[in-house]
Amino acid sequence: MRMTYTADLWWKNAVVYCLDVETYKDGNGDGIGDFRGLTQQIDHLDRLGVTCIWLMPFFPSPSRDDGYDISDFYSVDPRLGTLGDFVEFMRTARDRGMRVIADLVVNHTSDQHPWFKEARASKKSAKRDWYIWQDEPGPVDPKAIVFPDKEDSLWELDKKTGQYYYHSFYRFQPDLNTGNPEVRDEIARILGFWMELGLSGFRVDAVPFLIEGIGGDPHEFLADLRAFMNRRDGSSILLGEVNLPYPDLMKFFGDAGNGDEITMCFDFIAMQRFHLAMARENPEILADALRDRPKPPDDSQWAMFVRNHDELTLDKLTEAQKQEVFDAFGPDKDMQVYDRGLRRRLPPMLGGDMRRLKLAYSVLFSLPGTPVLFYGEEIGLGENLEAEGRMAVRIPMQWSSGGGFSPDPKTRVASPTGEFGPQNVNVESQRRDPDSMLRWVMLLIERYRECPELAWGEYTILDAGDTAVLAHRADAEGGTVVAVHNFAGRKAEVELVLEGLEHCEILVDLLVDGTVDLPSDGKVKFTLEPYGTRWFRSSVPDVAPEETSAKR
């Protein structure tokens, strides 16, 4: 495919890397990660092959919800640095060719935000309508409460004014009234401010909670935000957290032919089916999801992930299916959270089985969409179940056998001990180990970037002749890539029929040296090792695999 074409829509085959500045690298020795520390480690992301860094909230905050309770949208939390430190980080990322996006948390503010303090001061306050108030609390739907272990209502009484304010999440996070034109204008100013400092877009937190039926039409709001961003920078994006069934989710891409709302939506359905497939060692339910998944607008894309920074939610599975995943990967109640997910990272879920870990990330980078990594996944970072709730997975990054995050041992969340402790899992040692998780992820990223068909092409789920095998092909402008994965702990005999490749004679293996003959009838047979994975590009002898795609 033409490089100039794929570069215009950079997000369609980007490699996105989500990190929390606070837990990534301490640059001043106070036990808290900061922008100076992150900037010093940016070459790790460059070597890895990351093309876009996604920053979790770094704004001033009381930190009652790990920074998602924001008290100032126009500054940097002083624990993490200054605006000057942020700008230096942005300059360094740009120097390495990486874009940066950040969390856009506009559903709510902290109750310590000056806007809310002014709003609750009086019913006649100029900021009163920036939030949502009622004389009486609305009816309580237990299913609508996001954190049932902490909250029992969506309304909280403000004793001074005698009215109730609405909160989708915690009571200390009053929801903004996004139906108010003044609020929308202010949100646009926030976006414009950070875009002027170099951000290429925003990850929109909890999109379905944009006050449907209370704070105005969320689709009109998102379309207005996207139009504003396009006027400022046509290459900027919105990455949406939209955990809904496909028919409902598709509305958030927008109605225009190329999509005029969210640029990329996370595929929660495929992610949850993936974990069920891993538990069953049978990918059929994942294959069904990929067959059923609608095609997004031309300039939009799916964002694919193994896990994100929250709990590993399983809410779109049936109760029986969810229990299968719990039994396989989180049987202890302490490993579960909110009765809908796991507060675990994948390596300990799989018992440290490197074969299954490599399989999982091979699947991630080969599936149609843009891969999103959560920091530490590239080294097989573990978890700390002694931490509260979702903080179990938001642990310090492990740079060396001694930890390397901070010289101060009093970090907010401790690193794990034992098998997944820094002495066994760290960047420094894995850089020198050709068989490490880090080296595997680097290879996957390199091959993914060399195969635009995976992100841009038409994909087809193939019959592999064995129910334990997921096989699919991606075709774009005459180039074809085939990915085959064995989800079972036994060998699998694979039989594929690859039609329309009469001009090719071999399949070149992209992950290891080797080829497979491609007969004229397109019937291919080979053996996959337990949890084995193969990526192939159709080719002719004596033509480099990347040239097979580039010349078409």
Side-chain angles (χ1 to χ4, degrees):
M1 297 184 67
R2 298 189 306 277
M3 188 68 71
T4 52
Y5 182 54
T6 58
D8 277 347
L9 304 179
W10 61 269
W11 56 88
K12 295 199 71 166
N13 66 332
V15 176
V16 182
Y17 187 98
C18 171
L19 64 86
D20 186 348
V21 177
E22 186 175 352
T23 58
Y24 205 64
K25 177 66 177 178
D26 175 9
N28 62 5
D30 64 355
I32 300 171
D34 47 45
F35 276 106
R36 291 187 179 185
L38 169 58
T39 304
Q40 286 300 114
Q41 297 297 336
I42 207 162
D43 281 338
H44 166 68
L45 302 179
D46 184 34
R47 286 189 296 265
L48 185 61
V50 170
T51 65
C52 177
I53 301 170
W54 158 20
L55 299 175
M56 291 170 62
F58 55 84
F59 314 99
S61 164
S63 288
R64 297 181 67 186
D65 185 24
D66 199 30
Y68 284 87
D69 49 329
I70 296 170
S71 56
D72 181 0
F73 289 98
Y74 290 101
S75 189
V76 173
D77 188 322
R79 299 174 308 139
L80 310 182
T82 66
L83 276 174
D85 294 328
F86 173 82
V87 170
E88 284 299 294
F89 158 72
M90 293 295 298
R91 185 201 65 78
T92 308
R94 184 171 62 248
D95 176 69
R96 304 308 196 269
M98 286 181 279
R99 296 177 181 267
V100 181
I101 65 174
D103 264 327
L104 176 66
V105 187
V106 294
N107 313 70
H108 53 257
T109 69
S110 165
D111 61 4
Q112 300 303 304
H113 196 292
W115 300 343
F116 188 69
K117 287 183 176 181
E118 182 178 344
R120 75 191 312 180
S122 166
K123 289 183 180 180
K124 297 181 180 180
S125 167
K127 292 286 195 297
R128 187 72 174 182
D129 289 339
W130 282 42
Y131 296 87
I132 300 157
W133 301 88
Q134 286 187 177
D135 290 330
E136 298 294 334
V140 177
D141 178 3
K143 294 182 180 179
I145 297 175
V146 178
F147 303 118
D149 62 330
K150 302 291 185 181
E151 302 291 345
D152 56 10
S153 175
L154 300 177
W155 296 91
E156 181 70 11
L157 176 65
D158 178 59
K159 294 181 180 179
K160 181 176 182 179
T161 59
Q163 283 191 313
Y164 292 80
Y165 63 84
Y166 185 83
H167 59 91
S168 295
F169 297 94
Y170 294 110
R171 67 189 67 190
F172 53 80
Q173 294 170 320
D175 279 39
L176 284 165
N177 178 11
T178 54
N180 184 331
E182 291 183 4
V183 173
R184 293 190 178 193
D185 287 347
E186 187 66 29
I187 291 171
R189 277 190 284 273
I190 293 167
L191 268 64
F193 175 83
W194 291 105
M195 290 175 71
E196 288 298 315
L197 293 181
L199 290 186
S200 293
F202 303 88
R203 174 259 188 183
V204 189
D205 183 49
V207 173
F209 288 92
L210 286 170
I211 324 305
E212 294 170 307
I214 297 178
D217 181 2
H219 297 288
E220 178 188 350
F221 173 51
L222 290 169
D224 286 348
L225 286 184
R226 181 77 179 278
F228 171 83
M229 292 173 62
N230 284 343
R231 291 194 298 271
R232 294 292 177 94
D233 178 2
S235 66
S236 60
I237 67 164
L238 290 175
L239 171 60
E241 182 188 31
V242 190
N243 183 12
L244 293 173
Y246 288 137
D248 298 322
L249 181 152
M250 291 299 293
K251 300 173 186 176
F252 287 92
F253 280 119
D255 295 328
N258 288 332
D260 63 350
E261 293 184 31
I262 299 294
T263 318
M264 295 198 297
C265 287
F266 285 105
D267 188 349
F268 280 89
I269 304 298
M271 181 276 290
Q272 296 182 42
R273 297 283 188 90
F274 164 77
H275 286 284
L276 181 57
M278 291 289 285
R280 291 177 172 177
E281 298 201 351
N282 184 316
E284 287 183 299
I285 195 162
L286 172 59
D288 289 343
L290 294 172
R291 292 188 188 98
D292 295 341
R293 188 174 72 174
K295 184 178 180 181
D298 289 345
D299 289 353
S300 303
Q301 182 62 297
W302 294 105
M304 308 302 293
F305 63 111
V306 169
R307 70 125 41 249
N308 61 13
H309 58 289
D310 290 329
E311 76 275 8
L312 199 167
T313 184
L314 304 169
D315 65 329
K316 295 300 181 288
L317 301 180
T318 67
E319 286 299 315
Q321 291 170 340
K322 182 175 67 174
Q323 192 59 49
E324 286 185 66
V325 180
F326 281 169
D327 291 343
F329 300 134
D332 298 340
K333 278 293 182 181
D334 186 48
M335 299 173 176
Q336 304 165 19
V337 64
Y338 312 132
D339 194 37
R340 65 171 181 258
L342 294 168
R343 59 190 204 104
R344 308 201 68 193
R345 281 183 177 255
L346 191 62
M349 283 168 55
L350 298 178
D353 188 334
M354 188 62 71
R355 300 173 303 168
R356 300 187 76 187
L357 279 171
K358 289 185 174 182
L359 166 72
Y361 289 95
S362 178
V363 172
L364 170 67
F365 282 96
S366 68
L367 288 182
T370 296
V372 180
L373 288 170
F374 184 40
Y375 78 94
E377 285 187 288
E378 73 273 25
I379 59 171
L381 192 66
E383 67 207 14
N384 181 3
L385 293 176
E386 295 182 2
E388 183 180 1
R390 297 182 289 186
M391 295 304 296
V393 302
R394 301 176 185 178
I395 62 175
M397 183 63 174
Q398 295 171 185
W399 297 102
S400 65
S401 59
F405 166 71
S406 172
D408 187 335
K410 298 179 182 179
T411 57
R412 188 175 55 146
V413 179
S415 296
T417 57
E419 181 181 359
F420 299 100
Q423 68 277 15
N424 296 317
V425 178
N426 65 77
V427 173
E428 187 177 74
S429 62
Q430 291 194 23
R431 284 185 61 193
R432 299 191 295 266
D433 181 359
D435 296 320
S436 68
M437 189 69 193
L438 177 59
R439 288 293 183 178
W440 176 248
V441 173
M442 291 173 68
L443 174 64
L444 292 173
I445 291 175
E446 182 179 345
R447 294 296 180 262
Y448 166 78
R449 294 285 290 173
E450 291 172 354
C451 297
E453 296 92 338
L454 293 174
W456 288 78
E458 294 288 335
Y459 72 91
T460 306
I461 303 298
L462 304 173
D463 181 0
D466 190 317
T467 57
V469 176
L470 176 68
H472 69 280
R473 63 182 285 178
D475 300 273
E477 296 188 5
T480 298
V481 173
V482 179
V484 191
H485 296 90
N486 179 11
F487 277 63
R490 58 169 174 79
K491 289 185 177 182
E493 300 299 326
V494 179
E495 298 182 10
L496 301 177
V497 178
L498 301 176
E499 299 177 346
L501 300 180
E502 293 80 7
H503 60 285
C504 299
E505 300 177 23
I506 58 173
L507 295 176
V508 178
D509 201 314
L510 300 178
L511 300 180
V512 297
D513 290 335
T515 61
V516 173
D517 290 335
L518 182 59
S520 58
D521 61 6
K523 295 181 179 180
V524 180
K525 296 183 179 181
F526 56 90
T527 301
L528 268 183
E529 294 299 312
Y531 307 119
T533 175
R534 304 282 292 273
W535 291 17
F536 299 106
R537 183 186 289 288
S538 61
S539 185
V540 294
D542 303 323
V543 175
E546 60 271 19
E547 294 177 5
T548 304
S549 174
K551 66 188 287 190
R552 299 184 188 283

